[in-house]
């Protein structure tokens, strides 16, 4: 599966992405806003493990610019009665921030989720203080549904999350 976006291309992860993945992912500024499954430091072994998980999954994409993997975006599909929903998550190498790449990738994956996967709801739960991620969601038509107070712990500190959703 390949999704062409305005500023990037979304495609499946490949073993040849390993060096770019680790180079872009090994950043405390990224890991600090991600779930604990996104480690820091981000090693070659972490990258190999991720590529094995993601390479055949039609919901986890490498964000590529000029065929270089610079980030990732994916949909975690709901199950059972939540099968019409998915959580979107994303990250981008810091050297590529501020260029509209994540916003472009998010538009592409939302279109894919609604049109190909027939989802009705896509949501995200960035940390409340992650204003850049919140702006990306708002630019892409996501509405703030609420603040989840003291809902997560990251690096031994309790944080709020902002619940955003977009309905087809």
């Amino acid at each position: 599966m390949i999704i062409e976006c305005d500023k990037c291309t979304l495609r499946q992860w490949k073993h040849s992405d390993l060096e770019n993945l680790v180079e872009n992912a090994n950043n405390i500024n990224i890991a600090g806003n991600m779930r604990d499954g996104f480690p820091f430091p981000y090693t070659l072994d972490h990258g190999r493990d991720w590529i094995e998980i993601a390479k055949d999954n039609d919901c986890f994409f490498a964000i590529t610019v000029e065929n270089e993997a610079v980030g990732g975006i994916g949909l975690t599909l709901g199950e059972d009665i939540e099968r019409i929903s998915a959580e979107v998550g994303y990250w981008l190498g810091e050297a590529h921030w501020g260029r509209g790449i994540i916003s472009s990738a998010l538009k592409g994956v939302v279109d894919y989720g609604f049109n190909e996967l027939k989802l009705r709801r896509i949501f995200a739960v960035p940390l409340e203080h992650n204003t850049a991620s919140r702006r990306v969601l708002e630019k892409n038509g996501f509405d703030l549904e609420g603040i989840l107070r003291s809902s997560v712990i990251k690096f031994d500190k309790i944080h709020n999350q902002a619940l955003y959703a977009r309905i087809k």
Side-chain angles (χ1 to χ4, degrees):
M1 169 65 58
I2 295 176
I3 301 171
E4 293 294 339
C5 305
D6 291 341
K7 299 188 179 205
C8 62
T9 300
L10 308 181
R11 63 158 169 76
Q12 280 163 306
W13 287 95
K14 303 186 286 192
H15 291 288
S16 59
D17 293 325
L18 181 60
E19 286 184 32
N20 288 331
L21 168 58
V22 173
E23 178 183 328
N24 285 288
N26 188 30
N27 185 320
I28 191 93
N29 295 323
I30 296 169
N33 285 302
M34 301 290 288
R35 293 181 182 273
D36 287 345
F38 192 100
F40 181 80
Y42 200 103
T43 66
L44 286 170
D45 285 339
H46 293 127
R48 281 187 204 96
D49 291 346
W50 173 249
I51 289 171
E52 277 306 307
I53 290 167
K55 69 182 177 70
D56 295 321
N57 186 310
D58 61 359
C59 290
F60 297 148
F61 300 97
I63 300 171
T64 65
V65 175
E66 297 176 7
N67 207 34
E68 177 184 329
V70 298
I73 191 165
L75 295 167
T76 301
L77 301 178
E79 297 178 356
D80 195 24
I81 63 171
E82 295 172 338
R83 65 187 172 272
I84 61 170
S85 296
E87 180 179 359
V88 64
Y90 46 83
W91 67 273
L92 185 68
E94 190 169 3
H96 304 279
W97 291 1
R99 299 182 190 172
I101 294 169
I102 280 290
S103 188
S104 178
L106 182 58
K107 180 184 183 320
V109 86
V110 165
D111 289 347
Y112 172 73
F114 286 151
N115 298 323
E116 301 300 320
L117 301 178
K118 306 302 183 203
L119 297 171
R120 290 277 304 149
R121 181 176 194 271
I122 298 175
F123 69 96
V125 283
L127 297 178
E128 183 181 28
H129 66 264
N130 188 346
T131 55
S133 185
R134 293 179 66 180
R135 276 194 307 270
V136 165
L137 291 162
E138 290 165 359
K139 282 188 212 174
N140 276 276
F142 283 72
D143 294 316
L144 177 64
E145 293 187 336
I147 300 298
L148 307 173
R149 297 178 300 146
S150 296
S151 57
V152 295
I153 187 167
K154 185 66 184 186
F155 298 149
D156 296 323
K157 185 175 177 195
I158 304 293
H159 297 279
N160 296 342
Q161 291 173 289
L163 174 59
Y164 281 86
R166 184 163 157 194
I167 309 299
K168 182 174 181 179

